[in-house]
Amino acid sequence: MTSATVTSPRPAGSLDRREPDRPVGGALRRLLPLFPALVLLVVFMAGPILWSVYIAFTNETLTGAASVNSRFVGLGNFVKMFGDEDFRNSFLLTFIFVIGSAVIGQNTLGLVIALLQRGRARAVRSVVNGVVIAAWVVPEVVAAACWYSFLAEEGTLNEVLAGLGFSQDWLYSAPMIAIILANVWRGTAFSMLVYSAALSDVPADLLEAASVDGASGWSRLVHITLPLIRRSIMSNLMLITLQTLASFGLIYALTGGGPGTASQTTPLYMYEQAFRYFEIGYGSAMALVMLVIGALFSMVYLRLIKADA
Amino acid sequence: MTRLAARTAALVSLAVITIAFVGPFLWVLLASLQPDANLTAKPTFEFSLRNFGAVLTWDIIYRPVLNSIVISGATALLTVVVSGLAAYPLSRYKLRFKRHFMLTLLFTTGLPVTAIMVPVYSMFFRFNLYGSIPAMVLFLTASSLPFAIWMMKNFMDSVPVSLEEAAWVDGAGWVQSLARVVGPLMAPGIAVVAIFVFVGQWGNFFVPFVLLDTPEKQPAAVTIYTFFSQYGQVAYGELAAFSVIYTAPAVVLYVAVNKYLAGSFSFAGSVKG
């Protein structure tokens, strides 16, 4: 599940007028309920992030000599990373995965489904919504099992294509396409829901008027609908990019990054280095790169929605 | 293109999309009921509940599902309590740093949790917390908090402050006010946050996979992966039955909150705090 933000109107004659100025003790008491949340956030979120900044510059491991006393290695891990063939491969694959499954796949398909559903009967919408959302609600490991059975050598797809001579183990011959399709299947519901909501805010009489003036369906879409929902498009792109960037379980359970490293995106490579070979320092350097990329996208997202807290 | 043609084209496209989305589901649903299932979704007339019977054992289903309930339940409960408390001053008082705090929380929801797991693992190892379910629940709570606080604050904002005034006149402090007046009035909101966190953790695979050490502690998300990679290639029907049992609670809970979540997608351009 994911992070759309619930909006609710602020009640009229709002709050904030309660407490007159009180001495410091009062202010502290007012903030008291925030403390448990602050403590948890500082210890388990801010702490690890700062810790990763530190260990990314050390040769920390969990086994061998460096596990007892790790030492500062400066930019060593980052130099190693950019010279590491496997890391560069993983980075490229992550890029392809994000562009293919999120920016193109989920985003376009979500918009298309939302557009097609406009003006359709309620029963039609319920069926389509139900099926698309079901794929989203299923836990990622089960989604991987579904796609494994669909694409395997003796799977459903080959059964459907039987006789056409395409029969093959798709997970072996086209692992990137397999994980991209699986992720489009799993994530489209989110974009679809975002766009359904956005489209319902597009005034119908505007489209009607354009139609009377002789604008074709396509030009109404390009000149009226898309400009009106552009903020939603940008917000949606940022959110699905952030989710897809960090995707691990679906890929890990479906292809395990293989065959070889053919579908090993950066989270999987980081997992292998940090948790299989216990190269914690090196893994943290990769984690830090991902955090910085995530932070940049997150900042763009905040700008876009102009959150008014 | 005439109206009728456009309408038909749209319906045909929707039908194709729906069939494509149903495709990958078919196998799980069919194979779970077939005694001699293989990897192909092929309807047969042999139906049996034997696969379900085979996986309903302590090691395969009961213990992992129990672990999932404990881990997701504890995380949901703790998140609701902590975020509910935090939302109160954020909703009720004028605080100088409020805007920055709320924006920082929103920013945090965008950070990749996957990346945070390396330093978290390293910290858990150093402080001897590796393998500890309570410590993992605290981490999961912290990672759910930013979003939960946002939702809680929005729900709390919609409870009119005038309703609390009577309680204040009677000399109630914020604890009584929150517990007796605001809490009950925003009960549906609290349920949404709790279910949202619960379903999210029910499907969480990576965090327990990394932070827990023995199979006895693992939730169903990890057990089903292990089953999949070890026996899944042989016992297809059982894997499918396991998947159905493990997925059902997530689906039921989603349907329960569906109505309330519907509004959450209309952040068309701006978020009001």
Side-chain angles (χ1 to χ4, degrees), chain A:
Chain A
M1 297 255 191
T2 180
S3 46
T5 307
V6 178
T7 55
S8 65
R10 213 178 154 107
S14 186
L15 334 170
D16 293 344
R17 58 186 150 91
R18 181 198 169 186
E19 216 96 344
D21 279 327
R22 273 203 206 161
V24 184
L28 263 184
R29 197 164 342 123
R30 291 200 305 181
L31 292 181
L32 199 62
L34 262 173
F35 280 170
L38 283 178
V39 169
L40 281 172
L41 286 169
V42 166
V43 173
F44 289 99
M45 296 296 280
I49 292 174
L50 293 176
W51 180 242
S52 79
V53 174
Y54 167 68
I55 51 177
F57 295 95
T58 69
N59 64 349
E60 170 110 349
T61 59
L62 288 182
T63 52
S67 63
V68 190
N69 31 33
S70 56
R71 113 196 114 69
F72 192 70
V73 294
L75 289 171
N77 286 322
F78 294 92
V79 173
K80 178 179 168 191
M81 195 186 331
F82 293 112
D84 182 347
E85 197 77 37
D86 287 332
F87 175 75
R88 290 205 304 247
N89 170 58
S90 79
F91 204 75
L92 180 67
L93 292 178
T94 309
F95 186 74
I96 295 172
F97 182 63
V98 169
I99 297 292
S101 71
V103 176
I104 297 176
Q106 295 175 6
N107 186 53
T108 316
L109 190 57
L111 180 61
V112 167
I113 299 177
L115 283 167
L116 288 172
Q117 281 189 322
R118 266 196 313 184
R120 297 283 91 78
R122 200 187 159 82
V124 174
R125 280 185 317 200
S126 310
V127 171
V128 178
N129 272 336
V131 171
V132 175
I133 291 175
W136 183 50
V137 176
V138 163
E140 56 185 352
V141 184
V142 174
C146 289
W147 277 86
Y148 181 83
S149 75
F150 193 66
L151 297 174
E153 180 100 58
E154 16 0 327
T156 311
L157 183 64
N158 284 335
E159 185 73 17
V160 174
L161 298 177
L164 293 178
F166 290 139
S167 201
Q168 57 188 293
D169 187 344
W170 300 93
L171 293 166
Y172 196 83
S173 56
M176 280 307 287
I177 293 177
I179 62 172
I180 286 174
L181 283 179
N183 196 44
V184 171
W185 181 76
R186 210 175 113 74
T188 296
F190 181 74
S191 299
M192 178 190 82
L193 290 167
V194 168
Y195 289 134
S196 297
L199 289 176
S200 66
D201 289 340
V202 175
D205 47 351
L206 208 60
L207 296 168
E208 201 79 17
S211 182
V212 170
D213 289 344
S216 68
W218 176 253
S219 73
R220 272 179 313 206
L221 175 68
V222 173
H223 296 296
I224 300 176
T225 309
L226 291 184
L228 279 175
I229 63 167
R230 66 180 187 284
R231 293 277 283 277
S232 298
I233 298 178
M234 293 308 292
S235 311
N236 183 52
L237 281 175
M238 290 300 138
L239 287 175
I240 59 178
T241 297
L242 285 166
Q243 287 157 29
T244 308
L245 202 62
S247 186
F248 177 85
L250 184 69
I251 306 174
Y252 190 73
L254 188 54
T255 68
T261 57
S263 59
Q264 193 180 48
T265 57
T266 301
L268 274 88
Y269 185 57
M270 182 191 78
Y271 173 82
E272 186 187 82
Q273 291 297 313
F275 302 123
R276 190 83 56 74
Y277 304 137
F278 301 118
E279 292 284 346
I280 297 292
Y282 191 37
S284 284
M286 280 184 255
L288 206 55
V289 169
M290 283 175 56
L291 279 171
V292 168
I293 295 174
L296 288 176
F297 276 96
S298 203
M299 247 132 66
V300 176
Y301 170 67
L302 286 192
R303 270 280 152 82
L304 279 169
I305 61 168
K306 292 226 169 68
D308 156 33

Side-chain angles (χ1 to χ4, degrees), chain B residues 240-270:
Chain B
F242 193 165
S243 300
V244 169
I245 295 173
Y246 165 52
T247 306
V251 174
V252 170
L253 288 173
Y254 178 82
V255 172
V257 289
N258 186 21
K259 198 174 69 179
Y260 295 98
L261 285 176
S264 61
F265 290 93
S266 53
F267 58 99
S270 86

Side-chain angles (χ1 to χ4, degrees), chain B residues 1-272:
Chain B
M1 206 159 35
T2 65
R3 280 225 148 171
L4 185 70
R7 231 180 98 85
T8 315
L11 283 175
V12 169
S13 317
L14 282 176
V16 170
I17 291 168
T18 306
I19 291 168
F21 268 85
V22 169
F25 275 126
L26 286 178
W27 170 78
V28 172
L29 296 175
L30 291 173
S32 68
L33 292 168
Q34 290 167 344
D36 303 304
N38 57 22
L39 270 181
T40 314
K42 220 189 240 171
T44 57
F45 293 101
E46 272 181 280
F47 284 103
S48 94
L49 293 175
R50 205 198 300 161
N51 293 322
F52 286 93
V55 292
L56 282 175
T57 66
W58 176 245
D59 281 336
I60 299 178
I61 289 278
Y62 294 121
R63 191 186 52 211
V65 166
L66 207 63
N67 287 341
S68 285
I69 293 172
V70 168
I71 292 168
S72 313
T75 305
L77 195 70
L78 207 56
T79 304
V80 163
V81 171
V82 173
S83 65
L85 286 173
Y88 190 77
L90 292 169
S91 170
R92 268 18 184 177
Y93 306 142
K94 198 172 258 165
L95 304 168
R96 210 179 332 148
F97 58 86
K98 181 158 76 182
R99 187 180 148 77
H100 282 110
F101 184 69
M102 293 305 288
L103 286 180
T104 309
L105 288 181
L106 200 57
F107 169 76
T108 314
T109 59
L111 294 180
V113 179
T114 320
I116 301 177
M117 288 319 291
V118 180
V120 167
Y121 173 78
S122 152
M123 278 175 70
F124 270 50
F125 216 84
R126 289 216 167 191
F127 295 110
N128 254 331
L129 295 171
Y130 176 63
S132 156
I133 290 179
M136 186 184 74
V137 166
L138 288 178
F139 168 70
L140 293 174
T141 304
S143 68
S144 315
L145 274 178
F147 189 54
I149 294 175
W150 260 92
M151 288 176 82
M152 278 289 192
K153 178 182 175 291
N154 280 324
F155 285 124
M156 210 175 274
D157 282 348
S158 58
V159 176
V161 78
S162 55
L163 294 172
E164 274 181 89
E165 277 163 357
W168 293 337
V169 169
D170 292 344
W174 67 266
V175 179
Q176 287 98 327
S177 182
L178 183 58
R180 305 248 171 82
V181 183
V182 183
L185 282 171
M186 56 181 282
I190 293 174
V192 168
V193 175
I195 291 176
F196 199 83
V197 174
F198 187 93
V199 173
Q201 294 314 327
W202 188 262
N204 193 337
F205 164 74
F206 193 45
V207 175
F209 187 56
V210 167
L211 291 183
L212 296 180
D213 48 359
T214 60
E216 288 75 37
K217 293 176 189 163
Q218 296 292 3
V222 178
T223 317
I224 199 169
Y225 168 76
T226 317
F227 190 88
F228 178 34
S229 51
Q230 284 174 4
Y231 315 105
Q233 331 285 344
V234 201
Y236 301 118
E238 292 177 20
L239 173 65
F242 193 165
S243 300
V244 169
I245 295 173
Y246 165 52
T247 306
V251 174
V252 170
L253 288 173
Y254 178 82
V255 172
V257 289
N258 186 21
K259 198 174 69 179
Y260 295 98
L261 285 176
S264 61
F265 290 93
S266 53
F267 58 99
S270 86
V271 175
K272 295 212 172 61

